[in-house]
Structures are given as structure tokens and as C-alpha cells.
Amino acid sequence: MSENQLRKETTEPQQTAKASTTLPDVETLSSLTNVPYVDTHTHLHYVLDRLPEKFGVCTYQDLKERYCPPNLEACINVLCDPLSFTSDEIFPNTHSDWKVMANTSFIYLAAGVHPHNSKDYNDYVENKMRKILQHPKTVALGEIGLDYHYNISPRDIQKKVFIKQIELAKELNKPLVVHTREAEQDTFDILIKYVPKDWKIHVHCFTDSPQFAKDLLDHFPNLYIGITGVVTFGSARNTQETVRYVVPFNRFLLETDAPYMIPSKLNRNKKSKDKVTICHSGMIPFVAQRISELMNKDIDEVMQAARENTRNMYERKTIRY
């Protein structure tokens, strides 16, 4: 999700959402499992932007300690808009400052220009992004890729910028976080042409066809499929079938893509004023619960497998947990 999109969503409608949102209590989020976990893809700076003052959340530590279950170990916070790359200059010493994120003990970073913002890519943006990518707590380049659902940036520019950032990842020896939506063939063609077969790849928030997932997994032995709260949606047939029939137990990752993709069970049978409208990293157990149902596994097994998969994707020595 790009920051430009976020701004469109956070004018007057956002104020209504902020006034009416609720958050699940820690007991609810802790009720499913106690296995430690990592949220492998989140935008916690957007979460803090959206949370009303009534929750009293001023820092990432506040959010973790007061609203997340104690088994949350770490998060990979994704910066995917050019504005975020200069946040240390524009919003110094605030939660929007990427250096503040990096200095928070449980937060790691990924940085890359989202396909929606491909039209804004230039040398200045790349140089600012490089600075973040060279920070020791930045574990990947992304999210980058193609999004043909919205076409906010022209498709030819999306492809050029995707390739350019893949080359940068190879130069810096960074794993890739890939965003792909309704662009299966072009995404696959670019990946197999430009990315070494053994490269570490996290295909984030997978919603495309099960066959596409199989093609990716078969070609790239170190590619992982990221599963968000989308898997809990009644309409998410592709994601559910991918989890049930395609993804091996050692090739999936748990993520929230917060503040988006709220697990559906958290809002079941609730009135509008009681609904949760903001996702955060504490909601991962509800994603794992749905995966456990689809895979016919115990939820603790799913959590343990995801934790080991995260270690393998992002290197045991990189994320300390």
C-alpha cells in the first residue's frame, strides 16, 4: 500500500474510522497460542498514524506492550513510499522517522518503491533508499513489483522500476519482498529473467492463482509465500486454495500487512461502532489459526513452522529473536 493511497484514505473518512475503531484486548489475541512469532510484513507507522488518541499509543513500544500478545518477538516494518525515505528529515524524532523505527528493539526494516509509486522513482529517491538499505537493521529490499489492479503507475514504468530495484538488490545482496497483483505473467517473466534461481524472495500478501504460486515455488527453491489476514476472508478462494493445496509447510510466512487485512473473526457479529478497523502485528495468531484449519495442522505447529521459515528467509544472524 502506497502512502499516496494512504493519504486518499485518511482525509475525512479516516476521521470517522479513527473515532469508531476498537482494538481487541490482549487476552483475546493471546488465547490461541503462546508460540513466539515474527510479523514478516507490516506498516506500523501507518498503524500509529491511524490510531485515535484515546488508545494512548505514542511509540512502537507502547503498541507492543499494551495491545500485542507477549509472544510477538519482532516485526519487519516496510517502507515503500519515497516520502518514507526522507522521513528522518521531514519528521525527525517522531514515529514516522525511519531512524526511530530502526532504533526500536523489536523492529527491523525493508525498503523499496511500491509499484504504485514507480512513476516517482528517480536517482534522488534511489539514493535516499540506499541509505536505509545499508542500515544494519534493514533485512530486505521491498516491497517492489507489479500491480495491475489499480495501474496507478503505467505498466511499462512499473516493469522498468521493478527490474531496476532487482538489480539494486543483487548489488547490495538483499533478499526481495515482492508485491504482485493481477500481473502473474509479467511478474514471473521478470523474476526468472533477472533474479538468480537461489535468491531469497518473499512474495508478500499472496492473492493470485494457486498455479502461479506453484510456478514460483517450483522455480525458486528459496521463495516463500506470505499469508495475511486475507486468508480469513470468505471471498479469498485463491489464497485459501494456495494454502490448502500448494504451499509446502516449510515455504510460508505469517504477516499482517497492517494496518490493512484485519482477520475477519475479530469483527464477526459486531455492530459498526464496535468493529476493529485497524490491524496490527498482534493479530497474527488469527492468521495462523485459519492456516491451521486449511492445512489440517495444530496452530502451534503452524506458528513454529512460520518462525523457522522466517529464520530461513531472513537469515538467523540478521534478526535476533
Side-chain angles (χ1 to χ4, degrees):
M1 181 69 71
S2 75
E3 203 146 355
N4 288 337
Q5 271 189 294
L6 188 62
R7 287 198 197 93
K8 290 177 185 177
E9 294 179 2
T10 55
T11 54
E12 196 60 33
Q14 185 209 358
Q15 298 305 315
T16 302
K18 287 182 74 169
S20 62
T21 193
T22 61
L23 288 180
D25 56 53
V26 173
E27 289 74 18
T28 297
L29 298 175
S30 302
S31 64
L32 300 177
T33 177
N34 293 316
V35 175
Y37 71 89
V38 176
D39 183 353
T40 62
H41 189 111
T42 187
H43 307 278
L44 290 184
H45 48 307
Y46 295 166
V47 174
L48 266 62
D49 283 344
R50 290 184 166 205
L51 277 178
E53 290 183 5
K54 67 179 181 180
F55 291 104
V57 175
C58 298
T59 68
Y60 298 109
Q61 203 65 41
D62 286 343
L63 180 66
K64 183 176 186 293
E65 290 178 359
R66 297 174 57 191
Y67 294 102
C68 296
N71 49 329
L72 170 63
E73 291 182 299
C75 300
I76 298 175
N77 203 60
V78 179
L79 306 173
C80 58
D81 185 280
L83 185 63
S84 297
F85 305 156
T86 55
S87 58
D88 58 322
E89 301 167 6
I90 302 173
F91 311 110
N93 302 315
T94 70
H95 72 263
S96 297
D97 181 344
W98 71 263
K99 290 181 179 177
V100 170
M101 302 173 203
N103 286 331
T104 301
S105 61
F106 69 96
I107 292 180
Y108 295 81
L109 300 177
V113 175
H114 192 287
H116 292 336
N117 297 100
S118 296
K119 62 186 182 300
D120 302 319
Y121 195 98
N122 55 37
D123 289 344
Y124 175 81
V125 168
E126 182 178 296
N127 288 333
K128 291 295 183 180
M129 182 173 69
R130 275 178 177 269
K131 184 177 178 181
I132 301 173
L133 289 166
Q134 291 165 343
H135 191 281
K137 286 192 76 178
T138 303
V139 299
L141 194 154
E143 62 192 275
I144 64 173
L146 306 175
D147 192 312
Y148 293 172
H149 180 77
Y150 290 108
N151 289 312
I152 291 174
S153 286
R155 293 184 181 188
D156 60 332
I157 293 176
Q158 288 189 48
K159 288 188 279 190
K160 288 177 183 176
V161 171
F162 187 20
I163 294 166
K164 191 172 183 66
Q165 292 184 95
I166 287 171
E167 295 300 334
L168 180 58
K170 291 192 291 187
E171 175 193 334
L172 299 176
N173 194 30
K174 291 289 185 183
L176 289 169
V177 180
V178 173
H179 172 111
T180 178
R181 187 175 185 189
E182 298 175 20
E184 293 185 9
Q185 193 60 56
D186 283 349
T187 298
F188 189 72
D189 290 346
I190 288 172
L191 288 175
I192 63 172
K193 182 174 181 179
Y194 293 98
V195 180
K197 192 168 184 177
D198 63 349
W199 209 259
K200 298 286 183 72
I201 304 170
H202 173 177
V203 182
H204 138 74
C205 191
F206 192 86
T207 56
D208 286 318
S209 71
Q211 184 60 52
F212 182 40
K214 185 178 187 307
D215 292 343
L216 289 168
L217 290 161
D218 287 349
H219 186 85
F220 295 102
N222 293 314
L223 180 144
Y224 295 81
I225 300 291
I227 307 298
T228 68
V230 164
V231 76
T232 70
F233 300 172
S235 59
R237 289 284 182 84
N238 273 347
T239 304
Q240 291 163 4
E241 290 183 10
T242 297
V243 171
R244 191 193 298 270
Y245 300 117
V246 177
V247 180
F249 206 46
N250 63 344
R251 302 285 295 279
F252 76 93
L253 300 171
L254 293 174
E255 52 171 286
T256 59
D257 199 22
Y260 319 104
M261 317 304 179
I262 301 154
S264 61
K265 188 173 285 189
L266 291 172
N267 281 325
R268 194 161 293 161
N269 302 319
K270 285 187 177 180
K271 296 180 180 179
S272 293
K273 66 182 179 62
D274 298 321
K275 285 188 180 294
V276 179
T277 63
I278 300 168
C279 187
H280 64 64
S281 296
M283 299 178 191
I284 283 280
F286 284 88
V287 180
Q289 181 185 42
R290 184 63 179 127
I291 292 173
S292 73
E293 294 166 356
L294 293 165
M295 289 187 166
N296 196 26
K297 301 278 189 180
D298 182 81
I299 187 173
D300 284 355
E301 290 182 86
V302 170
M303 296 286 285
Q304 289 160 359
R307 188 170 185 261
E308 185 62 18
N309 297 344
T310 301
R311 288 177 179 271
N312 291 334
M313 170 67 207
Y314 288 107
E315 301 290 353
R316 297 169 190 271
K317 64 184 179 181
T318 305
I319 299 182
R320 300 181 182 277
Y321 57 87

